[in-house]
Amino acid sequence: MNLIAPNSSLKPSSGMVDPYGRTITYLRVSVTDRCDLRCFYCMSEDMTFLPKSDLLSLEELDRLCSAFIAKGVRKLRLTGGEPLVRRNVMSLVRSLSRYLQNGALDELTLTTNGSQLEKYAAELADCGVKRINVSLDTLDATKFREITRWGDLNKVLAGIDAAHAAGLKVKINAVALKDLNEDEIPSLMQWAHSKDMDLTLIEVMPMGDIGAGRIDQYVPLSMVRSQLAQKFTLTDLDESSGGPARYVRVSETGGKLGFITPMTHNFCESCNRVRITCTGTIHTCLGHEDASDLRKPLRASIDDGLLNETIDRAIGLKPKGHDFIIDRRHNRPSVSRHMSVTGG
Ligand code: SAM
Ligand code: SF4
């Protein structure tokens, strides 16, 4: 399939700057809300997914990404749901890779649960993808099934091996889960670092109704960090990608460990990103209900004028920061959409 849109020769951009002076250079695109797993902190077991007719076509997603790239986006991450379960997703990756070739994009990457990675790793590398994030919360096959409800750990491990064989750099993302993988975090870190993979730990965020309260899942990473500090030498690294993670170097392993702490640390002041969903809704903040529809202006005309105006208006509404809160009084979602809608 040829996805190359008529607007593929990009005009110079004046950039997207929000009301707080933050320049938007990073776009995360959820290409599907569907997933082959049902991680209990992300989805309920009986999730209702969007009707396929609501989804943007791959051609429309390409056009939308192109509009953002023309406006100064330099890094694009595909996510989901599980991006690799979207039918024909590789044709979108292949098509977007033209922006790596012409220098309009610095990076094209994806976040995946790894279950389909064995099949796609070589092709991703061939499209110019250099690094990917794989979400993996445990190395215990039984716990893995418990967390994902039916996932097969071996498939993910085979996917990671295939990614390495294809020359992709892999970062592991793990959500810290009370009474589930808390104890395993040191060994998960040692495993990741022994394979030259950074590990980033994530706090559970109160997104979407999952049929259970969050207080039972939440572990503050400040606690995880102080436990790790009893066994390992952690040295703060002064690097930031504009993202929410704070990194340390672990002397004993030589690897990097990141902490994403939306609940205990406010990372909003340097936020350079916006998110679009598979239905063409833009969310300018993960922790807010803010949303603007881009599908209508996209479909209204083959010209991007109206679309660009709508994007500019949405960027002009980007909130200063998020409102997440989990405590006994607020044991319900702060944000009603699931993480699988915006892709984290
Ligand atoms: N399916 C892909 C995956 O799992 O990597 C991509 C989408 S998934 C929504 C992106 C990331 O969000 C994963 O690392 C997942 O663990 C994380 N996540 C999902 N729900 C979360 C929640 N409520 N709080 C914190 N992280 C969450
Ligand atoms: Fe699927 Fe990723 Fe959500 Fe797990 S975290 S259910 S793999 S979208």
Side-chain angles (χ1 to χ4, degrees), residues 2-15:
N2 181 12
L3 292 181
I4 297 191
N7 57 357
S8 59
S9 63
L10 301 173
K11 288 187 228 102
S13 135
S14 52

Side-chain angles (χ1 to χ4, degrees), residues 192-306:
H193 289 176
S194 74
K195 291 182 171 288
D196 199 23
M197 301 185 288
D198 294 339
L199 171 70
T200 297
L201 301 173
I202 308 173
E203 277 174 355
V204 180
M205 296 176 226
M207 298 189 68
D209 189 354
I210 51 161
R214 298 281 176 187
I215 194 89
D216 300 332
Q217 307 169 1
Y218 176 61
V219 190
L221 288 185
S222 50
M223 210 168 87
V224 174
R225 184 181 166 144
S226 50
Q227 278 162 5
L228 281 168
Q230 290 171 14
K231 282 176 78 179
F232 300 94
T233 318
L234 312 179
T235 311
D236 282 311
L237 293 175
D238 195 22
E239 56 183 69
S240 167
S241 56
R246 298 284 173 270
Y247 290 99
V248 297
R249 175 77 58 198
V250 182
S251 305
E252 289 76 4
T253 60
K256 243 168 54 171
L257 176 66
F259 298 91
I260 299 186
T261 56
M263 312 305 302
T264 51
H265 186 282
N266 201 317
F267 51 74
C268 304
E269 63 282 351
S270 58
C271 180
N272 62 353
R273 62 193 61 192
V274 294
R275 296 167 166 84
I276 51 179
T277 69
C278 54
T279 57
T281 301
I282 177 170
H283 296 284
T284 56
C285 177
L286 186 61
H288 264 264
E289 296 285 3
D290 82 293
S292 312
D293 174 39
L294 300 179
R295 186 175 57 186
K296 208 161 165 201
L298 180 85
R299 288 185 174 166
S301 159
I302 52 162
D303 178 85
D304 282 349
L306 186 59

Side-chain angles (χ1 to χ4, degrees), residues 81-113:
E82 173 46 41
L84 295 180
V85 303
R86 171 92 194 233
R87 187 191 293 258
N88 244 337
V89 69
M90 288 311 300
S91 63
L92 177 64
V93 178
R94 176 77 58 191
S95 166
L96 290 171
S97 72
R98 70 191 183 276
Y99 295 122
L100 292 172
Q101 282 157 18
N102 72 10
L105 268 187
D106 296 328
E107 187 170 19
L108 176 60
T109 184
L110 87 164
T111 299
T112 173
N113 64 28

Side-chain angles (χ1 to χ4, degrees), residues 33-43 80-82 112-113 135 148 339-340:
D33 64 327
R34 289 169 194 250
C35 187
D36 50 354
L37 304 181
R38 293 286 182 283
C39 303
F40 75 92
Y41 53 79
C42 177
M43 295 189 181
E82 173 46 41
T112 173
N113 64 28
S135 305
T148 61
M339 189 72 105
S340 51

